Each structure stands twice: as C-alpha cells, then as structure tokens.
Amino acid sequence: MKVLMYSHDSYGLGHLRRTLALAEAFVRRGPDVSVLVLTGSTVSGTFGMSHGIDLVKLPSAIKVGGGEYEPSRMSVSFKRLKKLRAGLIRSSAESFDPDAFVVDKAPLGMKREVTPTLEFLRGWRPSTLTVLGLRDVMDDPARIRRNWTEGLIADAIEQFYDTILVYGPREVYDPLPEYGLSDATLERCHYVGYIGREPVLEEAVDLELRPGYVLVTAGGGGDGFRLMKNYVEGLRGKPPAFESIVVTGPMMDDGARRELEKAARGLPVRVLEFRADMERLVARAGAVVSMGGYNTTIELLVARKPALIVPRVEPRVEQLIRAERLSELGLVEMIHPDDLTPGAMRKKVEGLLRRGPASAPAVEVDLSGAARAVDHVVSGVAQKRSVAVGA
C-alpha cells in the first residue's frame, strides 16, 4: 500500500510531527507499506524516520498575518511559490500513484494549493482514497463555521473527501456538528482518538542531568518567549532545588533566545534551541511546562507527566479550548496568558513536582488514535479497490 501525506507546516512543528507519528503507524503494518510525506517544514530532515517513509520538501512559506503568506527562504513572489508547490504536490500524486492521500488539517491546503491534486485524483485516479485529518480542536466553532461556509470549504470537503478522521476522542470534545458540515459529510466522519508516539524509555545520553528536571517547551518557539521569560524570572530569588531544560524551538528570534540565555545565567537552567527527540526529554522530566499545542499536550498525556499548560489565545483559541477541557478533567494544570507571572508559574511548578507522576490519570484518555486511523484508511482502501474491480 502506498500512502501520500500532505502537511504544509508554515508555522511551528505540530502538523509535521503529527503526520510523522501517523506515518510510523502505517509502516508498522508491514514491509509492503510506503509513505511519502509532502511538507514545507524547514526542519523536516532532522526527524528520524523508519524504513518505508520518505519526504518531498516543498519550498517553505511563512504566515505573516491576516491569512497571508510569503516565501520564507526564496526571493520570489508568493504567487510563484504557490504555483511551484501546487505543481510539486500534483506531480507527486501523479507519479507516486498512492492508494490513499491523507491531508492534515487544511482541507484545501495552504491557499488552496492542494485543490488541483484533489481534482486530479477525483477525475483520473478515483480509486485513490482521499482522507482529511482534523485536530481534536480546530478553533472557536463559530469561527470555523463562518470561514468554511464563506470559503466554500464545507462544500469542498463533501466533494473531495471519502473519509474525515478527527484526531481526538468524542467524549473529550465534539465540535463537528457545529462546523457547518452537511449530513452526508458527517456520516463519513470518525473520531479515532489522540495520535501520539509511544512512550520513550531511553535516556537522552548527551544531557548530563538527573531525572526529575522541569522541561519547558513551546513547540517551534515562534511565540514562546513570554512563557519562557516568565519561567526563568520565577527562578530568581530563592534558588530552586530542581534543574530545568528550556527548549526555545528553532523558530524563536535569535535576539529573544540570547535574552533567555542571559536571564538563565547563574541558574540551574540549560537553554537549548531544538531537539528532535523531545519524547526522550519528556520521559526523564519530573514536570513539563508548555503551551497547549496538540503534539506536546498528547506527549504529556502519553507519558503521564505532571504538566502546566499556558495556551496560546491568538490568533486562534484552539489551545485555550483544549487546555480548559483537559484541566476540567484533571489531566493538566493551566494558567491563562492574562494571569501569567513569574511567581504564579513557580508556585504551579513546585506544586507539580511535589505531586509526582500519576500512576493512572483521573480520567482515561484514548491515545490509540494512530492505530485506529490506519485501520480506517486500510479499510477504506480495500473498499475502493473492490468497487474498482466490480466496475
């Protein structure tokens, strides 16, 4: 079976990490599975991948606000960049001839760049199963409904996608009925549970730190400076009895990173720019402080680590909705960004360290989403093949 996956990754690391976790689940099914991932991530080559998975690097773009993008590396117009990316996506689909095409989060891709490929598959490769994968939380449901209605996205989902997978459990959050999707589309939707990598037991051998440190992370780091600066400042005064690792992320501004390094001098704090093995750092941590992105949050649930979430609230409330819901279930602690202070962070963190790891969470959360998503895709591909043979 051949699976083509699309993850545009214009900001942060979340889409690519989720896509690669799902790709790993596909190749675990057997040696006859090949997965080709289309991504615009500038750090895509740093992630380890199993045999059977490969990448096509799309020219990178970055979101600059107001729903607009620009090239992040090349001195060309965005119009030319989009044309180049759209051509690469379609030519990959035509040459690879996948049994399934899985699109992450954006139904038509960045600025509708996936539309030509979806039209090609519908017209010329109707046996290819088209799959849309959605996060557990997209944004405020009313905003999604308005955007999808005005942009005719809901109609496009009904037209182009055979299956819609929601990467979260229905019992934690059930937004789909509020997104303005048709009844026909809703019948093709499946909640598969959270997609997370398996817990990692191996130690990050290059870091000489005792287990039990506090790990502070903000994903790609593009907007993580305020969180990290408040954390480091909270360690001033009374010396902490614990060590800390602060991973800024590769997208944090160089000036902001240098300011954090300066603030951490004289403290038991290690400031790192990027780690492709964050699961290993999480595994050895006594507590974790992070923003509320999908992948980091799921890794914390998988590892059952005491966690403090400071969610992003702009330009989307996705992280806030997720953090509030998980906090209500007793799975994480949360500080709203409006209430963020150095003292509040230190108090919460010290409370988490006293609590220690949970042998079992207060509420069991479904973390088998990757395997269940693969089951749906394999079943859908088989059905498509049987229809093609019958025709």
Side-chain angles (χ1 to χ4, degrees):
M1 184 173 71
K2 292 178 294 183
V3 181
L4 182 65
M5 307 184 77
Y6 166 85
S7 171
H8 73 75
D9 274 283
S10 66
Y11 191 78
L13 305 173
H15 306 306
L16 177 60
R17 292 179 67 199
R18 182 170 54 248
T19 296
L20 290 178
L22 187 54
E24 293 286 347
F26 274 113
V27 298
R28 282 197 295 269
R29 285 302 176 99
D32 62 335
V33 179
S34 294
V35 180
L36 184 62
V37 178
L38 308 170
T39 176
S41 173
T42 57
V43 296
S44 56
T46 64
F47 291 93
M49 295 174 289
S50 297
H51 180 77
I53 304 172
D54 211 336
L55 299 173
V56 170
K57 170 67 175 65
L58 302 174
S60 303
I62 188 168
K63 199 169 188 176
V64 294
E68 298 301 317
Y69 295 83
E70 64 182 26
S72 64
R73 290 181 174 246
M74 295 196 297
S75 299
V76 299
S77 68
F78 178 73
K79 181 178 180 181
R80 184 176 296 275
L81 182 83
K82 178 188 169 186
K83 182 178 181 181
L84 175 58
R85 286 171 56 111
L88 289 169
I89 295 166
R90 172 168 169 164
S91 64
S92 295
E94 189 169 355
S95 300
F96 189 52
D97 191 18
D99 298 291
F101 180 39
V102 182
V103 174
D104 186 73
K105 180 182 174 285
L108 300 180
M110 183 186 70
K111 289 296 186 179
R112 298 177 181 262
E113 66 182 357
V114 176
T115 302
T117 300
L118 292 169
E119 292 173 340
F120 165 74
L121 293 174
R122 271 291 180 262
W124 298 95
R125 304 285 171 81
S127 61
T128 297
L129 181 76
T130 49
V131 182
L132 174 62
L134 300 177
R135 283 188 312 234
D136 58 335
V137 184
M138 296 288 288
D139 195 359
D140 174 65
R143 183 184 297 177
I144 292 292
R145 184 185 187 101
R146 181 174 64 253
N147 292 344
W148 281 10
T149 300
E150 294 175 354
L152 302 179
I153 302 297
D155 292 341
I157 293 173
E158 180 175 356
Q159 176 184 358
F160 290 125
Y161 285 100
D162 300 308
T163 300
I164 298 90
L165 303 178
V166 181
Y167 302 144
R170 186 193 297 267
E171 59 270 20
V172 173
Y173 191 66
D174 183 15
L176 281 186
E178 302 177 62
Y179 285 173
L181 299 172
S182 68
D183 290 340
T185 300
L186 289 173
E187 290 177 359
R188 303 199 295 269
C189 294
H190 309 276
Y191 290 78
V192 299
Y194 291 121
I195 291 180
R197 292 178 180 268
E198 294 297 320
V200 174
L201 301 179
E202 296 90 344
E203 187 173 353
V205 295
D206 60 323
L207 294 176
E208 297 179 357
L209 289 176
R210 296 187 305 273
Y213 51 77
V214 176
L215 174 64
V216 185
T217 174
D223 56 354
F225 175 75
R226 181 168 175 256
L227 163 71
M228 295 180 176
K229 186 67 181 298
N230 272 274
Y231 176 80
V232 173
E233 288 181 350
L235 302 181
R236 293 288 176 189
K238 182 181 178 181
F242 51 88
E243 297 176 303
S244 300
I245 299 178
V246 176
V247 183
T248 65
M251 297 172 187
M252 179 173 285
D253 176 79
D254 288 341
R257 185 179 298 110
R258 287 193 295 270
E259 185 173 342
L260 278 176
E261 291 171 345
K262 182 178 179 181
R265 288 174 189 164
L267 295 171
V269 176
R270 182 86 61 88
V271 179
L272 307 174
E273 178 179 352
F274 175 70
R275 298 285 300 204
D277 61 343
M278 285 297 292
E279 298 93 342
R280 286 184 169 82
L281 298 192
V282 170
R284 306 290 287 183
V288 181
V289 178
S290 77
M291 301 179 78
Y294 180 94
N295 295 282
T296 300
T297 303
I298 303 316
E299 285 167 4
L300 301 181
L301 295 177
V302 170
R304 298 188 174 185
K305 292 294 178 179
L308 171 61
I309 305 295
V310 183
R312 179 189 298 131
V313 295
E314 292 290 345
R316 298 180 183 86
V317 294
E318 164 229 338
Q319 294 192 6
L320 178 62
I321 293 172
R322 180 181 298 114
E324 287 180 334
R325 186 68 184 118
L326 294 176
S327 178
E328 290 169 1
L329 293 172
L331 297 172
V332 301
E333 293 287 333
M334 187 192 94
I335 296 179
H336 192 284
D338 292 346
D339 302 321
L340 184 61
T341 65
M345 289 198 76
R346 178 156 180 173
K347 183 178 180 180
K348 285 278 192 182
V349 167
E350 289 178 339
L352 290 175
L353 290 172
R354 286 193 298 269
R355 179 191 308 174
S359 58
V363 178
E364 287 293 338
V365 176
D366 187 354
L367 298 171
S368 57
R372 196 171 292 115
V374 171
D375 286 341
H376 279 289
V377 172
V378 170
S379 175
V381 167
Q383 291 177 10
K384 279 268 187 172
R385 287 174 176 170
S386 66
V387 170
V389 170

